[in-house]
Each structure stands twice: as structure tokens, then as C-alpha cells.
Amino acid sequence: MRGTWLLLISLSLICAESDFTLLSQEERAGIPAVYVTEVRKVSRQNAEIDHSGDSPHRDHDVMIVLEDHEHFAGVKRWHLTFMRGGEQFTSALDVEENVGSEQKKFVFPTELITEANAVFITARDEVGTTLAFGSSQIKIPEMKSYLAWVGTAYDPAASFLRVDPGTLPVVEIGDHVCKQNTSPCYILNERLPEVVSRCLTITDLVTDVPVMVCDDTMIPFHELTMALTVEFIEDHTILLTLVTYQEEVVTSIEVVAYDPNDPSTVFSPLDSQCDPRDAVEPGQVQCSQNLRQTEKPDGIEVVIVVFTSQNGSSFPQSFKLRHWFIVDDEQAQTGAIVIGSIIGVLVGMGLIAALIILVR
């Protein structure tokens, strides 16, 4: 039944490019069918390769996962095609015969086409003969969620993650739930997986078979390159001063201050915003944040995330620092007096005990 519907779908589409051609009914009848189970937006594997027609700003590739099938001998190239109305977006992947997780997982150097209404995949040999054919009639949803490693590079034992659900209503990571109307969310100094998948299950409009559409992209850590000065003011305020480069425009700054001994104790406001201030000198950007503290802790750890706009694209730069507060002179003197008094009492008690022993 699935194969019959597969043929009907392909008959309903008209494709002009040679990378994807409509086969005759006789030709299709003899070609094994493959079935798409997952369409994944994954981080770009090689940004150095200049693919034909490729977008220079593309930051991801597309992984296609197929259902278990027989091995197809002689495959040299796989083609992936997205159809969106009358538009066709085709990408090719050259492979060795046995490469590709036994012909089940393929990463194509192309973009995930939002609002596409059909996905096609074909396997061909070295002379262009089609060896396998598959399609899925699903509508690709908008999959914009932004997960970025901040503060430090990813560490499987202890990482810092900024979560923005984007167009998704919610993103769940373990016990953490980040909702669209309360983002961004920060997960601080925790053991996290290197990839956090955000998936939706879409039903094929013809076969009623579920297909998972996922976003697996993670924004890597970018260390802050601008000169930074951080001041801790007595009224529980953090004051930041940045020196910007000429080509960079700071669009926003977020600050997350927390107890280094207990990262779940966060002193920053829920929105993490650092409120802009008028800079004293040209080329500087200043902002401040009032911390929610009932008393001053021994130390404080701060993750600073700076969003800059450069050549039309925006990405976060970040930095992590730890600050230990110095006890003032009055507190130090008081401490010394208390310690001295305790020592004096102990010495006095020792002398009295010695006199009693001598008398006896």
C-alpha cells in the first residue's frame, strides 16, 4: 500500500532539473522503495566547502534517516529534493558503496527548506541509473530554536547552556523546561549532552506514517573578544564596560550572576538583561544590573553574554568570571578582636587550673 501511494505522490509532482527526474510507471515499478523516518537539521559539518548554489551564511546541514531496507549495491550518489509549491531544492551526496551507516543515515550539504510540502530521496549508480526511490509528503515546519554554549566551551561534566525556544512553544532538557514566553533560560554548570534535539512528529498526508522533524543545531562557544571591565558596586549592582570594535554593533547584553557553591541560586533578574547606560567615552558600551541579594555572599560567579551584529548576522560572545569579596577592615578587626578574646579566655582558664593543681 505504501508503495502505491509513493507512486501517486511522484505522479502529482513535476520536476524539471536533471538531478531529479520523473520516471515512467514501468520504471518505478521495478525500483525498490525507501521510507524516510527522520529529517534533521544538524550543525554544518564542513564550512570550508563551497557547494554550488550554497548560501555562504548557512550554518547547518540536513540529515535524512531511512527505515531499515535491503542493501543497494553500486550506489555512488544520493539525491535529496525538497519541493515547495513549484520550487525545487536538490542536493547531491557522493558516497562509497558501503558508506552511510549501511545506507540509512545521510548528511546533505543543504538547508532545511521551511514550508516545503514534500521530501524525495533517490539512490543512483555511477552512470545515473536510479537504484532506490523514496518520498514523504509532509510540511516542514519553522524550526528556529537557539541553544548556545556560553561561558566556556562544551564540557560533558559541567557546561553552561543558553536556551531560546525561538518559534517552539517549549524546550525540555532533563528537568529543565524553558518556555517561549519566559526565555532565555540558562542551565549553569551541569552535566549535559553535546546535542539537545528539539523534535516535532509530522504525519505524512498520504500514508499517515509519522516522520520526525528535528533541530539538532547547537551554537558553539565564542569567547568575548572585546575589552571588558566589571565593577561590583556596594548596592548589589554589577557595572559592565565594553570597548567595541568599529565593525561590531552591540545589540544586547545578558548577565547571569549566581552562587559558585550553588549554581541554582541565581542573583540576576529572570530576564538576565543588563540595562544600557550612557557611555562615558566614545567606543564604549556600558550597562548595569541590580542583583537580588539579601546578603553579600563570599563570592560570586558571572556569565556575561554579548550579542553583536556584524555583516548582517548576529551571534553571542561570552565570558565567565569568578569574584571573591574582600572582607573590609572593620570586619577584619572585629574578627581579630573576637578571636583574641577567645584565646585570652582559654589562657586564663589554663592558669587557674594550674594554680588549683599546685595548691592541692
Side-chain angles (χ1 to χ4, degrees):
M1 184 63 179
R2 293 178 67 174
T4 302
W5 281 115
L6 193 65
L7 302 182
L8 292 176
I9 295 170
S10 61
L11 282 170
S12 67
L13 300 172
I14 299 175
C15 305
E17 294 186 10
S18 59
D19 280 343
F20 180 76
T21 56
L22 194 63
L23 305 175
S24 68
Q25 187 171 357
E26 292 77 12
E27 289 173 319
R28 289 195 304 272
I31 296 175
V34 292
Y35 302 100
V36 177
T37 60
E38 298 176 23
V39 179
R40 291 182 172 271
K41 181 179 176 182
V42 298
S43 295
R44 189 167 178 173
Q45 291 190 332
N46 191 346
E48 302 299 324
I49 297 176
D50 182 20
H51 302 289
S52 177
D54 192 14
S55 169
H57 301 297
R58 178 172 59 80
D59 62 352
H60 67 274
D61 293 328
V62 174
M63 175 186 286
I64 298 295
V65 181
L66 302 179
E67 192 177 86
D68 287 338
H69 59 79
E70 63 179 283
H71 182 82
F72 306 119
V75 176
K76 294 300 181 183
R77 174 174 288 193
W78 288 82
H79 292 274
L80 172 66
T81 299
F82 290 103
M83 297 296 298
R84 185 173 63 189
E87 296 180 283
Q88 174 184 331
F89 305 86
T90 298
S91 177
L93 180 67
D94 292 326
V95 296
E96 296 295 333
E97 182 177 342
N98 294 313
V99 172
S101 299
E102 287 304 310
Q103 301 180 327
K104 283 186 59 179
K105 293 182 180 181
F106 306 97
V107 178
F108 290 87
T110 188
E111 292 187 40
L112 183 65
I113 305 300
T114 302
E115 302 298 321
N117 50 21
V119 181
F120 292 86
I121 186 167
T122 57
R124 297 186 181 174
D125 62 17
E126 58 185 6
V127 297
T129 302
T130 301
L131 303 178
F133 177 86
S135 72
S136 184
Q137 191 169 332
I138 58 172
K139 188 171 184 178
I140 303 296
E142 187 81 30
M143 292 287 289
K144 285 188 176 179
S145 54
Y146 306 94
L147 273 62
W149 301 114
V150 294
T152 62
Y154 170 74
D155 181 345
S159 289
F160 298 78
L161 183 64
R162 181 186 186 272
V163 182
D164 180 357
T167 56
L168 299 177
V170 66
V171 172
E172 297 185 24
I173 306 171
D175 296 332
H176 299 275
V177 178
C178 185
K179 298 180 180 179
Q180 190 180 68
N181 59 350
T182 59
S183 66
C185 308
Y186 281 88
I187 302 177
L188 307 171
N189 199 24
E190 288 194 18
R191 185 182 297 273
L192 297 169
E194 190 171 4
V195 173
V196 178
S197 298
R198 292 81 74 195
C199 297
L200 298 173
T201 300
I202 312 298
T203 301
D204 190 302
L205 296 177
V206 175
T207 64
D208 288 332
V209 175
V211 178
M212 288 182 61
V213 181
C214 301
D215 185 351
D216 291 348
T217 58
M218 308 289 289
I219 300 173
F221 167 68
H222 294 279
E223 188 172 11
L224 185 66
T225 57
M226 291 174 279
L228 170 68
T229 301
V230 182
E231 298 179 57
F232 296 87
I233 304 174
E234 287 300 322
D235 61 351
H236 305 301
T237 299
I238 292 181
L239 176 63
L240 266 62
T241 303
L242 291 168
V243 179
T244 63
Y245 297 109
Q246 187 174 1
E247 67 275 10
E248 288 184 314
V249 177
V250 176
T251 56
S252 68
I253 303 173
E254 295 172 7
V255 174
V256 185
Y258 56 95
D259 186 340
N261 298 317
D262 179 15
S264 64
T265 302
V266 178
F267 305 124
S268 296
L270 292 177
D271 62 5
S272 308
Q273 291 299 312
C274 191
D275 300 321
R277 284 191 174 191
D278 293 331
V280 178
E281 298 184 13
Q284 287 188 351
V285 174
Q286 280 194 332
C287 71
S288 63
Q289 185 187 87
N290 295 323
L291 302 182
R292 302 175 297 172
Q293 292 176 305
T294 55
E295 59 184 31
K296 183 182 289 185
D298 295 333
I300 192 170
E301 201 156 85
V302 182
V303 174
I304 299 166
V305 181
V306 180
F307 286 86
T308 61
S309 178
Q310 189 174 6
N311 299 325
S313 60
S314 179
F315 64 93
Q317 300 181 36
S318 61
F319 185 77
K320 182 171 69 72
L321 62 90
R322 178 176 290 190
H323 177 78
W324 295 106
F325 294 103
I326 300 174
V327 179
D328 57 36
D329 293 338
E330 183 178 351
Q331 288 176 315
Q333 290 173 1
T334 302
I337 291 170
V338 170
I339 293 172
S341 300
I342 293 173
I343 293 174
V345 170
L346 293 174
V347 171
M349 291 178 64
L351 290 174
I352 293 171
L355 287 172
I356 292 172
I357 291 171
L358 289 172
V359 171
R360 288 181 177 178

